[in-house]
Amino acid sequence: DIMMTQSPLSVAVTPGESASISCRSSKSLLHSNGITYLSWYLQRPEKSPQLLIYQISNLASGVSGRFSGSGSGTDFTLKISRVETEDVGIYYCVQFLEVPLTFGSGTKLEIK
Amino acid sequence: QVQLKESGPGLVQPSQTLSLTCTVSGFSLTSNSVHWVRQPPGKGLEWMGGIWGDGSTDYNSALKSRLSISRDTSKSQVFLKMNSLQTDDTAIYFCTNFNWELGFDYWGQGVMVTVSS
Protein backbone atom coordinates (compact mmCIF):
# COMPACT_ATOMS: atom_id res chain seq x y z
CA ASP A 1 0.00 0.00 0.00
CA ILE A 2 1.16 3.56 -0.68
CA MET A 3 1.60 5.43 2.57
CA MET A 4 0.80 9.13 2.66
CA THR A 5 2.55 11.15 5.35
CA GLN A 6 1.40 14.66 6.13
CA SER A 7 3.06 17.34 8.22
CA PRO A 8 2.56 19.21 10.40
CA LEU A 9 -0.20 17.58 12.41
CA SER A 10 -1.65 21.00 13.08
CA VAL A 11 -0.89 24.61 12.24
CA ALA A 12 -2.15 27.85 13.78
CA VAL A 13 -2.17 30.85 11.47
CA THR A 14 -2.87 34.55 11.91
CA PRO A 15 -5.49 35.78 9.42
CA GLY A 16 -3.78 37.26 6.38
CA GLU A 17 -0.67 35.15 6.71
CA SER A 18 0.23 32.03 4.75
CA ALA A 19 0.35 28.35 5.64
CA SER A 20 2.00 25.38 3.99
CA ILE A 21 1.19 21.71 4.40
CA SER A 22 3.45 18.92 3.28
CA CYS A 23 2.47 15.51 1.95
CA ARG A 24 4.91 12.74 1.16
CA SER A 25 4.08 9.45 -0.51
CA SER A 26 5.99 6.19 -0.08
CA LYS A 27 6.03 5.70 -3.85
CA SER A 28 6.09 8.06 -6.80
CA LEU A 29 2.54 9.03 -7.79
CA LEU A 30 3.54 9.69 -11.39
CA HIS A 31 1.71 7.35 -13.74
CA SER A 32 3.22 6.22 -17.03
CA ASN A 33 0.59 8.39 -18.75
CA GLY A 34 2.29 11.47 -17.31
CA ILE A 35 -0.43 12.25 -14.77
CA THR A 36 0.36 12.47 -11.07
CA TYR A 37 -2.63 11.26 -9.11
CA LEU A 38 -2.49 13.46 -6.03
CA SER A 39 -5.36 15.60 -4.76
CA TRP A 40 -5.97 17.83 -1.75
CA TYR A 41 -9.18 18.13 0.24
CA LEU A 42 -10.49 20.38 2.98
CA GLN A 43 -12.95 19.07 5.52
CA ARG A 44 -14.55 21.93 7.38
CA PRO A 45 -16.04 21.15 10.80
CA GLU A 46 -19.09 18.90 10.56
CA LYS A 47 -18.93 18.90 6.75
CA SER A 48 -18.04 16.49 3.97
CA PRO A 49 -14.59 16.79 2.40
CA GLN A 50 -14.30 19.31 -0.42
CA LEU A 51 -11.95 18.95 -3.39
CA LEU A 52 -9.40 21.79 -3.53
CA ILE A 53 -6.59 20.69 -5.85
CA TYR A 54 -6.23 17.79 -8.29
CA GLN A 55 -3.20 16.43 -10.16
CA ILE A 56 -0.83 18.28 -7.83
CA SER A 57 -1.61 21.84 -8.83
CA ASN A 58 -4.94 22.19 -10.63
CA LEU A 59 -7.51 24.28 -8.80
CA ALA A 60 -10.93 22.67 -8.54
CA SER A 61 -13.93 24.60 -9.79
CA GLY A 62 -15.11 27.29 -7.43
CA VAL A 63 -12.07 27.08 -5.15
CA SER A 64 -10.35 30.29 -4.12
CA GLY A 65 -7.13 31.21 -5.89
CA ARG A 66 -5.53 31.56 -2.45
CA PHE A 67 -5.01 27.79 -2.59
CA SER A 68 -2.14 26.40 -4.62
CA GLY A 69 -0.42 23.07 -4.94
CA SER A 70 3.07 22.09 -6.00
CA GLY A 71 5.48 19.20 -6.01
CA SER A 72 6.32 16.11 -7.97
CA GLY A 73 6.99 12.42 -7.57
CA THR A 74 6.72 11.79 -3.87
CA ASP A 75 6.79 15.27 -2.32
CA PHE A 76 3.87 17.67 -2.46
CA THR A 77 2.88 20.93 -0.84
CA LEU A 78 -0.39 22.76 -0.37
CA LYS A 79 -0.05 26.49 0.24
CA ILE A 80 -2.81 28.69 1.55
CA SER A 81 -2.17 32.39 1.04
CA ARG A 82 -3.82 35.16 3.04
CA VAL A 83 -5.53 32.74 5.37
CA GLU A 84 -9.14 33.50 6.27
CA THR A 85 -11.35 32.19 9.06
CA GLU A 86 -13.30 30.08 6.54
CA ASP A 87 -10.11 28.07 5.86
CA VAL A 88 -10.39 26.38 9.26
CA GLY A 89 -10.65 22.62 9.06
CA ILE A 90 -8.61 19.53 8.34
CA TYR A 91 -6.64 19.20 5.12
CA TYR A 92 -6.01 15.81 3.55
CA CYS A 93 -3.88 14.66 0.65
CA VAL A 94 -4.91 11.49 -1.16
CA GLN A 95 -3.34 9.32 -3.84
CA PHE A 96 -5.26 7.73 -6.67
CA LEU A 97 -2.37 5.99 -8.42
CA GLU A 98 -3.30 2.56 -7.19
CA VAL A 99 -5.68 0.63 -5.04
CA PRO A 100 -6.03 0.86 -2.10
CA LEU A 101 -6.59 4.58 -2.44
CA THR A 102 -4.96 6.15 0.58
CA PHE A 103 -5.34 9.39 2.50
CA GLY A 104 -2.83 11.29 4.54
CA SER A 105 -3.59 11.51 8.25
CA GLY A 106 -4.70 15.11 7.97
CA THR A 107 -3.45 18.54 9.02
CA LYS A 108 -5.64 20.70 11.22
CA LEU A 109 -5.58 24.41 10.45
CA GLU A 110 -6.61 26.76 13.22
CA ILE A 111 -6.77 30.52 13.44
CA LYS A 112 -4.63 32.31 16.02
CA GLN B 1 -26.56 18.62 -10.78
CA VAL B 2 -24.58 15.79 -9.25
CA GLN B 3 -25.83 14.67 -5.86
CA LEU B 4 -25.17 11.69 -3.62
CA LYS B 5 -27.08 10.82 -0.49
CA GLU B 6 -26.39 8.07 2.02
CA SER B 7 -29.09 6.32 3.99
CA GLY B 8 -29.16 3.55 6.51
CA PRO B 9 -29.58 2.69 10.18
CA GLY B 10 -27.92 4.94 12.72
CA LEU B 11 -27.42 2.11 15.19
CA VAL B 12 -26.18 -1.42 14.60
CA GLN B 13 -25.54 -4.08 17.20
CA PRO B 14 -22.12 -5.70 17.49
CA SER B 15 -21.61 -8.74 15.25
CA GLN B 16 -24.50 -7.65 13.02
CA THR B 17 -24.42 -6.54 9.39
CA LEU B 18 -24.41 -2.92 8.23
CA SER B 19 -26.39 -2.08 5.11
CA LEU B 20 -26.10 1.38 3.57
CA THR B 21 -27.50 2.86 0.39
CA CYS B 22 -26.07 5.68 -1.68
CA THR B 23 -28.64 7.22 -4.00
CA VAL B 24 -27.14 9.30 -6.77
CA SER B 25 -28.49 11.79 -9.29
CA GLY B 26 -27.02 13.83 -12.09
CA PHE B 27 -24.89 11.04 -13.52
CA SER B 28 -25.02 7.42 -14.60
CA LEU B 29 -23.53 4.61 -12.55
CA THR B 30 -22.45 2.87 -15.74
CA SER B 31 -20.13 5.72 -16.65
CA ASN B 32 -19.03 6.80 -13.18
CA SER B 33 -17.45 5.17 -10.19
CA VAL B 34 -18.82 5.45 -6.65
CA HIS B 35 -16.75 4.77 -3.57
CA TRP B 36 -17.26 4.53 0.17
CA VAL B 37 -15.06 6.42 2.63
CA ARG B 38 -15.50 6.34 6.39
CA GLN B 39 -14.37 8.49 9.28
CA PRO B 40 -14.37 7.32 12.90
CA PRO B 41 -15.18 10.06 15.41
CA GLY B 42 -12.27 12.49 15.69
CA LYS B 43 -10.15 10.52 13.22
CA GLY B 44 -9.13 10.68 9.58
CA LEU B 45 -10.59 9.41 6.34
CA GLU B 46 -10.36 5.77 5.28
CA TRP B 47 -11.12 4.50 1.79
CA MET B 48 -13.26 1.38 2.06
CA GLY B 49 -13.82 0.41 -1.54
CA GLY B 50 -15.68 1.26 -4.69
CA ILE B 51 -17.60 0.06 -7.70
CA TRP B 52 -16.43 1.09 -11.13
CA GLY B 53 -18.53 1.98 -14.17
CA ASP B 54 -18.15 -1.52 -15.57
CA GLY B 55 -19.48 -3.00 -12.33
CA SER B 56 -16.16 -4.32 -11.06
CA THR B 57 -15.21 -3.64 -7.47
CA ASP B 58 -12.13 -2.92 -5.39
CA TYR B 59 -11.83 -3.11 -1.63
CA ASN B 60 -9.52 -2.05 1.12
CA SER B 61 -7.69 -5.25 1.99
CA ALA B 62 -8.25 -4.60 5.69
CA LEU B 63 -12.02 -4.82 5.13
CA LYS B 64 -12.26 -7.13 2.15
CA SER B 65 -13.33 -10.21 4.05
CA ARG B 66 -16.32 -8.35 5.57
CA LEU B 67 -17.26 -5.88 2.85
CA SER B 68 -19.41 -6.02 -0.27
CA ILE B 69 -20.30 -3.17 -2.62
CA SER B 70 -22.95 -3.55 -5.30
CA ARG B 71 -25.34 -1.42 -7.29
CA ASP B 72 -28.71 -1.18 -8.97
CA THR B 73 -28.21 1.01 -12.03
CA SER B 74 -31.95 1.23 -12.72
CA LYS B 75 -32.46 2.86 -9.32
CA SER B 76 -29.20 4.84 -9.36
CA GLN B 77 -28.21 3.24 -6.08
CA VAL B 78 -24.99 1.84 -4.70
CA PHE B 79 -25.06 -0.50 -1.72
CA LEU B 80 -22.57 -1.22 1.02
CA LYS B 81 -22.83 -4.31 3.18
CA MET B 82 -20.35 -5.06 5.90
CA ASN B 83 -20.71 -7.92 8.34
CA SER B 84 -19.36 -8.75 11.78
CA LEU B 85 -19.47 -5.16 12.93
CA GLN B 86 -17.49 -4.13 15.99
CA THR B 87 -17.40 -0.94 18.03
CA ASP B 88 -14.44 0.38 16.06
CA ASP B 89 -16.63 0.39 12.95
CA THR B 90 -18.48 3.32 14.51
CA ALA B 91 -17.98 6.12 11.99
CA ILE B 92 -19.47 8.53 9.53
CA TYR B 93 -19.84 6.73 6.22
CA PHE B 94 -19.60 8.80 3.04
CA CYS B 95 -20.24 7.86 -0.55
CA THR B 96 -18.38 9.81 -3.16
CA ASN B 97 -18.17 10.04 -6.93
CA PHE B 98 -14.77 9.31 -8.42
CA ASN B 99 -13.30 10.29 -11.76
CA TRP B 100 -9.74 9.83 -12.94
CA GLU B 101 -9.18 13.51 -13.68
CA LEU B 102 -10.28 15.00 -10.39
CA GLY B 103 -10.45 12.19 -7.86
CA PHE B 104 -13.36 12.26 -5.42
CA ASP B 105 -15.20 15.27 -6.79
CA TYR B 106 -18.65 15.01 -5.23
CA TRP B 107 -19.52 13.73 -1.78
CA GLY B 108 -22.66 12.82 0.08
CA GLN B 109 -23.44 14.43 3.41
CA GLY B 110 -22.46 11.26 5.24
CA VAL B 111 -24.38 9.02 7.61
CA MET B 112 -23.35 8.38 11.20
CA VAL B 113 -23.36 4.72 12.17
CA THR B 114 -22.90 3.70 15.79
CA VAL B 115 -22.10 0.12 16.69
CA SER B 116 -23.42 -0.55 20.16
CA SER B 117 -25.60 -2.95 22.07
Side-chain angles (χ1 to χ4, degrees):
Chain A
D1 298 2
I2 298 177
M3 283 193 57
M4 305 296 288
T5 304
Q6 280 184 240
S7 62
L9 198 61
S10 65
V11 60
V13 187
T14 301
E17 297 193 340
S18 296
S20 289
I21 298 169
S22 173
C23 176
R24 180 167 292 177
S25 57
S26 60
K27 173 181 174 179
S28 174
L29 302 183
L30 176 62
H31 192 277
S32 56
N33 63 10
I35 295 174
T36 300
Y37 289 103
L38 183 283
S39 294
W40 289 95
Y41 293 81
L42 164 59
Q43 187 176 30
R44 294 187 171 98
E46 310 301 321
K47 296 293 186 183
S48 303
Q50 171 196 359
L51 175 66
L52 297 175
I53 300 281
Y54 62 96
Q55 293 178 27
I56 302 179
S57 59
N58 294 288
L59 202 62
S61 177
V63 174
S64 170
R66 298 183 296 101
F67 293 92
S68 62
S70 62
S72 64
T74 61
D75 287 286
F76 308 96
T77 301
L78 175 71
K79 182 178 179 182
I80 311 158
S81 302
R82 304 181 304 282
V83 167
E84 300 178 359
T85 54
E86 67 178 26
D87 301 333
V88 164
I90 302 177
Y91 291 80
Y92 295 94
C93 59
V94 56
Q95 67 82 19
F96 303 106
L97 179 68
E98 60 186 45
V99 169
L101 310 183
T102 45
F103 290 86
S105 54
T107 296
K108 187 174 186 178
L109 186 145
E110 299 173 308
I111 298 295
K112 280 184 184 175
Chain B
Q1 74 272 29
V2 172
Q3 290 185 322
L4 302 95
K5 186 172 184 179
E6 307 87 348
S7 58
L11 180 65
V12 179
Q13 294 199 337
S15 80
Q16 297 301 302
T17 296
L18 171 65
S19 295
L20 297 176
T21 300
C22 176
T23 302
V24 310
S25 59
F27 65 92
S28 168
L29 291 177
T30 57
S31 56
N32 284 44
S33 167
V34 172
H35 294 243
W36 291 92
V37 173
R38 70 177 180 176
Q39 184 172 40
K43 296 190 177 180
L45 301 167
E46 178 187 33
W47 176 77
M48 301 181 69
I51 187 162
W52 303 97
D54 64 1
S56 63
T57 53
D58 276 305
Y59 300 109
N60 186 322
S61 57
L63 303 172
K64 190 171 185 176
S65 63
R66 302 193 288 138
L67 181 62
S68 174
I69 297 173
S70 60
R71 70 185 185 185
D72 183 333
T73 56
S74 67
K75 295 183 178 179
S76 293
Q77 292 180 323
V78 175
F79 309 106
L80 176 150
K81 288 191 190 306
M82 189 162 70
N83 58 33
S84 304
L85 253 62
Q86 300 302 320
T87 54
D88 59 3
D89 292 312
T90 293
I92 299 173
Y93 288 75
F94 297 97
C95 60
T96 174
N97 178 67
F98 175 84
N99 75 69
W100 284 108
E101 180 184 7
L102 303 176
F104 300 126
D105 54 354
Y106 294 94
W107 295 70
Q109 63 192 20
V111 59
M112 179 67 202
V113 175
T114 301
V115 181
S116 174
S117 55

